[in-house]
Amino acid sequence: MAEEEDFSALALTDRWVHKNWKVRKGAYEEAAAAFEKSTDEYDPAFRPFVQDSGLWKNATADSNVAAQQEGLAALCAFLKFGGREGAVRARQHAVTPIVEKGLSSTRAAIKASSIEALLLFIELDVAAPVIEEILPALSNKQPKVVAASLAALTQIFHNYGCKTVDPKPVLKVLPKAFGHADKNVRAEATNLAVEFYRWLREAMKPMFWNDLKPTQQTDLEAQFEKIKAEGAPKQERLLRSQQAAKERAPVGGAAEGDVDDGDEVDEPAEVDVFDLAEPQDVYSKIPKDFFDNIASSKWKERKEALEALHTVVNVPRIKDADFGELNRALAKCMKDANIAVVTQAAHCIELLAKGLRKSYAKHRSTVMQPIMERMKEKKQTVADALGSALDAVFLTTNLTDCLEDITTFLVNKNPQVKEGTMKFLLTCLRTTRDVPKKEEIQMIVESAKKLLSESSEALRAGGAEILGTIMKIIGDRAMNPHLEGLDDLRKTRIKEFCETAVVKAKEKPKAPPPPVARGPPPGGPKKMVKKAPGGAKKPAAAAPPPPSQYAQQAPALAPQPTSRAALGSKLGMPKPAGLGGLKAPQGRSLPGPGLASPRRPAAAPSPPLEEEEEYSPPPKPAAPRLGLGRGGLAGRSLVKPSAPSQPLPPRSPSPPSGLAHMERAELEELRDANERLLRQLEDARHDRSKLHSEIQELKNQNAGLIEDHTRDVLSIKAKETQLVRARSDAEAAEQTNERLRRELDRLKRALSKAEASGASARSGSPGSPSLGHRMMSPTHNDNDIYRDGDYPPSANRNRGSFASTRSEEKENGDNAPYPRSKLASNIRGGLYTETPGNNGRGSPARGYRQAAADDADHRNDQRNDQRNDNRNEYRNDYRNDGASLGFRDPPDRAGSRPDSRPDSRADSRAGSRRGDAPASAASAGNQESWKRAAEVTSQLKARIEQMKAKQGINNRP
């Protein structure tokens, strides 16, 4: 059969997806060999798999175990020798099959190749996409897949670390793995948690620790104790980007880069919970009645409100929101009289600062000063809470922002405030990573020196500790000027604190400026030519022209024979004989003849000259200038020394005179640079003085603004006081108006009653059923006196208006019976008519039986009239006026009883028996009654208007 020949004739991609597993296996092996033999990532062998990255899905999930093993090996070769583009395209097709089938395989080679492939995917790009593909497998129904995925995650974090691979997504799902029913899954979860502890330490616990069972926590604690004894973990594999950066580093800096990387890895304890936690929205969870309760007059309600807020903000990381009003309320709580409220508010500020970090810096000025002012509290628990709140607030800002408040409260009169501020300053100096500026150091040192003379031992020790911490930061040499004037005992104590201080910010020595490198000119080393005394030049063979600046400066500087003593030691030139007592520089070897200077290439020997210049050393070297370095060019005199009487011959050939021009050119350049630096220094001083003047001007403006603000505050308070008084006056006026309104209503009701009485008198007729049995037509007797029908005795005591209710009469002061004139009483007592309508029952005999009761009633009425004259003056006047017109008393409640119901027929009969009064007299009496009622009504209206005008009711708005 010719199967092998047919298979070999197929293309590689066709054999890759062939139905025969042997053919697929051969294709995998052939591809892996081609990848290993490729020259670079752009080799044609990679092109088919970059263009069609779906081929890797078939290879990694091959149904045949042997073929799958070779397919994973080919994928590892592809990733190892290929580029990033091919890896990114193959990742989305290959990672999921690897997790589902490769990691849980029974073959060790397949497992190893699967893990290696995942590590290579991360190495070529980043870890996040690979982690996202692995996390869904933790919810797989098969426990072996879940356990294998956890083992792969452990290997990933072990090789790359938690700084390269983000651990937060895995930490979120880790509690679910600990609650799995399979023991193998729980064991792999434990291994992963231990690996996390190697990198994160205690920062990992808040993410999932509370979701574990107590037994699991105990087992993990035992594993963690073993990890604590180990050293800090290091990243074992680098990403391709990290490898490229390491290769680009210079040779001398490669080791330093390694050290830096190692230092970064050696700080796992500094990984914070804040970096691992997700921000939570706590602003919406603040109780709605928080601000009402925090302003309550009861301290228990304020404390309960703060406790509820403490529960809400007690999270590792808080999402930023508008917490300005909340912080103002907490700052106001610092002045609370109850220390429990102050302590709880300080705890809330601490949690907010730790949860917001840098976002809380804008609220620092709101809470820092109130906290420092409250440090006067002597109770230790309150002081500790306030100190913790200040430390948390400092982590959100820097020392520069806090220094002004600190120096202000360090001179406070209260010793407790001084001590608390001193401790806060020490914490700031220990935790800050930025070295304070010179001005800030000066302020801190001056404040600390004042503490050294305090009467309290704690304050004196604190001042010495502050100075020792500053010395630890800036160094002994920079601190020595600040310690001048202190006695030896204090200096010794400050140095002791300096030795024990632990700081994070250290003054780094400034690197010296790089020397001006002067390489050889183009075209090879320059050959120098010695000049004759007359200025004639002998051209040197193949001597390149000097640089342009030197060529321009050469004619200006005439060559002068000078001493080469210092130049020989400085520039490496031969030292002439007869140095006149000059010593060679210590630690340096004198160069012999012909040795090149370390700063310049060796000069070629010049041809013989006709006349040789003789150089003789000066009898005494010139003193160097002040401020210049030892042995520098600027410290040497350019004046030609006088030659001795008997010059000594030099032990070595004299250097070419061309070096003098070079040195002078360099000297001029150095002088120019010095002048330029002096000008820059002068400009900087001018700018500094200008800035100082601007600062002073701004301070003056600030003082003016503060005065304006104080004046505005006082004005606002005065206006508020006036407003409160005006409100109280308005309330009093409103009460007065309400009282007058009620009086007016009462008068209106009285007027309406009077008008109703007058109307009833005008419209009434004898025997009219609408008026009731009490409103009978008056009877005319012989004395021309109008009489009403007699009332029963009970009616004398309880008489009321038929137009008003009992409650209205009581309100208007009408409980007392109506006053009656003595004439009416005598008539009612002496003339009793036997009319059926007298008592509403129509019995004439009843009148005779009650004669004695009427006399007693008459006496009671007199006493009642005398008692009610002062209270019912208005009604007495009206009633007397009405009585003079012949009006009857208003009916009382007795008239409303069923047994006193009026009888119209009896009234008509009684009216018919009154024959002594003619109809004309009745008509005239009715007209007079109308007139009198109208007059009384008008008088009442006039009196009401007078009362209104008197009390100002018409002026009400």
Side-chain angles (χ1 to χ4, degrees), residues 656-918:
S657 61
L659 286 177
H661 299 287
M662 299 289 292
E663 291 166 0
R664 293 189 182 190
E666 183 179 0
L667 178 60
E668 292 296 332
E669 184 179 356
L670 292 175
R671 287 177 177 175
D672 294 339
N674 187 23
E675 293 177 358
R676 185 170 59 255
L677 291 176
L678 290 176
R679 286 194 300 270
Q680 292 178 0
L681 180 60
E682 187 65 25
D683 295 340
R685 289 177 180 174
H686 178 70
D687 295 341
R688 183 182 179 185
S689 61
K690 183 178 179 181
L691 291 175
H692 277 298
S693 62
E694 292 179 358
I695 290 173
Q696 188 64 32
E697 183 178 357
L698 291 176
K699 286 183 178 179
N700 296 336
Q701 294 179 1
N702 188 22
L705 292 175
I706 291 174
E707 293 178 0
D708 296 342
H709 176 69
T710 305
R711 186 165 50 253
D712 295 341
V713 169
L714 295 177
S715 176
I716 290 171
K717 289 184 177 179
K719 296 295 182 182
E720 289 178 352
T721 305
Q722 295 177 2
L723 181 60
V724 171
R725 293 178 179 175
R727 285 178 179 173
S728 61
D729 295 342
E731 291 178 357
E734 187 65 26
Q735 293 177 359
T736 304
N737 293 337
E738 186 64 25
R739 181 173 57 79
L740 294 177
R741 192 181 297 109
R742 289 196 301 268
E743 182 68 19
L744 178 61
D745 293 341
R746 188 181 66 78
L747 293 176
K748 285 182 179 181
R749 286 196 299 270
L751 178 61
S752 63
K753 290 179 183 180
E755 290 178 352
S757 300
S760 61
R762 288 192 299 270
S763 61
S765 60
S768 176
S770 61
L771 297 177
H773 72 285
R774 294 291 181 185
M775 299 297 294
M776 300 297 294
S777 177
T779 304
H780 192 273
N781 59 0
D782 297 336
N783 298 326
D784 293 334
I785 297 175
Y786 288 89
R787 298 178 51 188
D788 294 338
D790 291 336
Y791 291 138
S794 60
N796 294 332
R797 300 179 182 90
N798 299 316
R799 296 176 181 176
S801 174
F802 69 90
S804 63
T805 61
R806 186 70 175 178
S807 61
E808 293 177 352
E809 293 170 359
K810 184 176 181 181
E811 179 182 354
N812 296 327
D814 297 338
N815 283 336
Y818 282 78
R820 288 162 296 192
S821 63
K822 187 180 294 184
L823 181 61
S825 302
N826 294 334
I827 292 173
R828 188 170 60 250
L831 301 175
Y832 186 82
T833 57
E834 299 177 15
T835 58
N838 286 340
N839 53 7
R841 296 184 180 181
S843 175
R846 187 175 180 85
Y848 294 101
R849 290 194 299 267
Q850 294 182 352
D854 290 339
D855 294 335
D857 186 27
H858 174 65
R859 290 191 296 271
N860 293 332
D861 290 340
Q862 287 181 348
R863 287 192 297 270
N864 292 335
D865 293 339
Q866 188 65 26
R867 186 168 57 251
N868 297 329
D869 282 339
N870 295 330
R871 290 187 303 174
N872 300 314
E873 180 181 0
Y874 170 75
R875 287 190 176 277
N876 289 341
D877 294 339
Y878 176 77
R879 186 168 180 78
N880 291 333
D881 294 337
S884 64
L885 295 175
F887 293 160
R888 290 174 54 88
D889 291 338
D892 59 356
R893 291 191 179 185
S896 63
R897 292 195 301 267
D899 55 352
S900 63
R901 186 177 295 114
D903 191 353
S904 60
R905 290 177 295 178
D907 293 340
S908 63
R909 287 195 300 268
S912 62
R913 284 196 298 269
R914 295 191 184 105
D916 53 357

Side-chain angles (χ1 to χ4, degrees), residues 53 67-68 99 113 223 401 443 485-486 559 591 632 651 770 796 904 925:
S53 55
Q68 183 187 11
V99 174
S113 298
Q223 297 289 334
D401 297 337
M443 293 173 61
L486 299 179
R651 289 184 291 179
S770 61
N796 294 332
S904 60

Side-chain angles (χ1 to χ4, degrees), residues 133 156 316 376 400 923:
E133 295 289 340
I156 290 173
K376 60 186 179 181
T400 304
S923 176

Side-chain angles (χ1 to χ4, degrees), residues 480-598:
N480 287 333
H482 299 291
L483 299 181
E484 293 180 357
L486 299 179
D487 53 23
D488 296 338
L489 182 61
R490 290 177 177 174
K491 290 182 179 180
T492 304
R493 194 171 187 184
I494 291 171
K495 292 180 180 179
E496 291 176 357
F497 282 115
C498 176
E499 293 174 358
T500 58
V502 178
V503 296
K504 296 182 179 179
K506 292 184 179 181
E507 184 72 26
K508 296 181 180 179
K510 296 182 180 180
V516 181
R518 299 186 180 277
K526 180 186 289 186
K527 297 182 180 180
M528 310 304 294
V529 179
K530 190 172 184 178
K531 294 181 180 180
K537 297 182 180 179
K538 297 292 183 179
S548 59
Q549 61 176 356
Y550 298 149
Q552 295 173 3
Q553 296 177 1
L557 298 175
Q560 297 178 3
T562 59
S563 173
R564 315 305 297 171
L567 296 178
S569 62
K570 182 71 176 177
L571 302 175
M573 301 307 298
K575 182 177 179 182
L579 295 180
L582 291 179
K583 297 182 180 180
Q586 297 180 359
R588 295 181 182 177
S589 60
L590 296 176
L595 295 180
S597 170

Side-chain angles (χ1 to χ4, degrees), residues 224-245:
F224 294 163
E225 290 297 330
K226 300 177 183 179
I227 298 299
K228 292 179 181 179
E230 299 179 0
K234 294 183 180 181
Q235 185 176 343
E236 297 183 0
R237 296 183 65 156
L238 300 177
L239 303 179
R240 290 287 175 88
S241 58
Q242 295 175 344
Q243 296 175 11

Side-chain angles (χ1 to χ4, degrees), residues 276-288:
L276 301 177
E278 291 292 334
Q280 298 184 23
D281 184 12
V282 302
Y283 185 78
S284 59
K285 299 179 182 179
I286 298 177
K288 302 297 182 183

